Amino acid sequence: MIDDTLTANRIVEAADRLFYARGVQAVGMDAIRGEAGVSLKRIYSLFPSKDDLTVAVLHRRRDQWNAGIAASAENAETAREKLLAIFDFLDAWFREPDFHGCAFINVFGELSGGSEQVRQQARKQKQAFVDYVAQLVEDAGAPEELGPQIAILAEGAQTTAAILGGPEAAAQARAAAVTLLDSALERNASATAQQPG
Amino acid sequence: MIDDTLTANRIVEAADRLFYARGVQAVGMDAIRGEAGVSLKRIYSLFPSKDDLTVAVLHRRRDQWNAGIAASAENAETAREKLLAIFDFLDAWFREPDFHGCAFINVFGELSGGSEQVRQQARKQKQAFVDYVAQLVEDAGAPEELGPQIAILAEGAQTTAAILGGPEAAAQARAAAVTLLDSALERNASATAQQPG
DNA sequence: TACGATAGAGAACGAACGTTCTCTTGGCAA
DNA sequence: TTGCCAAGAGAACGTTCGTTCTCTATCGTA
């Protein structure tokens, strides 16, 4: 059917809402059927198991994250500004009323002893983010040690904002990133000044 | 009974092992009974519900964390060294074979839509850590903005180490903390030099 | 109108959960 | 030895889960 994609989207969106609000294990397939307005048979014809549906939800989250990061980077000109734009994106996200953490971190905590597929999705997502930051750090002409440091700040801001509540962690992490960037670029500048070429 | 405390400890230890390895929801009370070698009746006489047992497990984790942080700080003389000792403690922890994240973060992700008691425990634990870091930052004579920044680094290191696997995040976060500390103390020194007294 | 395929609604299934209840055993006072 | 209470083992209860199956209604085609 041509509307398989449409229906699949509706199911994934419904599952995402419920999973994020209540946790994966706490949501039954029946609740997803109700939220999506789609029969169980149809759900299982599109997603062979709850695990597959969970992975599809994580794919959706990944796409949303990537789109959000890309959008925040669009208004930035330099690599340095693109790096800091990550924290502006986080800031806006933390202010959303139903924010309570990164879905990948949450799902990793929930299913760490369970689905290997899900664990792998979380790992791939976080690794991709580390790679994105590393590329920007290289573009900015900063030493590569800076990459993981900024990625750690972004991760820490997410868990801190989730558990303590409130968006302050984004600005705090951003300020730390500014200090790290300034320090790294300064050190780099003086190092290249000493041995040019 | 005088061995109530002993038995309760045995139950909490068993539950901790299983909860941390598989997640709270994935572990049945029957499995805890088997692991602890204690009857269900006895478990329920000491812990009225699984939720209460979960809170007891988190209390134990809190005590272990506090003891570990305190021990790592003992070898340090200055407040600055005590702050950096946090990351040495994390480094050793990340290298433990069964490490897969902070139990509070994991449990928060798992039960965020569920038990209010558990969510509150996680919040209290993270807030206490923020307060501990803030005190050390004050002792070090650094501006208070530094406190949350270092706390965020520690949180980020924990999730990064858990999801990506490997202990590198501890050293990376430590290096960032050194930069932030140096920068803050430098700035503070020049500020007080400009307007002494 | 008659018919075959499709898909919705939800009953049904076996397993597992948290919690309670029953049965049994063992140790101790008299 | 007899009676009694504490506690262990695990059966039982009611619910909920992921998944499958049955029944029924609808629809396009002849």
Side-chain angles (χ1 to χ4, degrees), chain B residues 62-146:
Chain B
R62 177 198 58 194
D63 295 343
Q64 286 180 329
W65 169 272
N66 289 342
I69 289 287
S72 78
E74 261 181 18
N75 299 329
E77 292 199 357
T78 67
R80 180 199 152 96
E81 283 168 357
K82 286 183 205 294
L83 281 169
L84 295 178
I86 292 170
F87 297 96
D88 299 332
F89 168 65
L90 292 181
D91 193 279
W93 183 30
F94 295 170
R95 289 174 196 276
E96 288 180 15
D98 62 348
F99 170 81
H100 58 271
C102 165
F104 291 91
I105 297 174
N106 289 348
V107 113
F108 182 88
E110 178 173 0
L111 303 177
S112 66
S115 165
E116 172 59 33
Q117 270 193 99
V118 166
R119 237 174 311 166
Q120 192 181 343
Q121 284 306 315
R123 205 174 311 131
K124 276 167 69 175
Q125 166 72 6
K126 294 307 185 188
Q127 186 61 56
F129 177 64
V130 167
D131 294 344
Y132 171 78
V133 172
Q135 183 60 55
L136 285 181
V137 164
E138 185 183 331
D139 294 349
E144 63 178 357
E145 309 93 72
L146 183 61

Side-chain angles (χ1 to χ4, degrees), chain A residues 27-29 40 44 49-50:
Chain A
V27 172
M29 295 298 280
L40 272 179
Y44 275 95
S49 72
K50 193 184 184 182

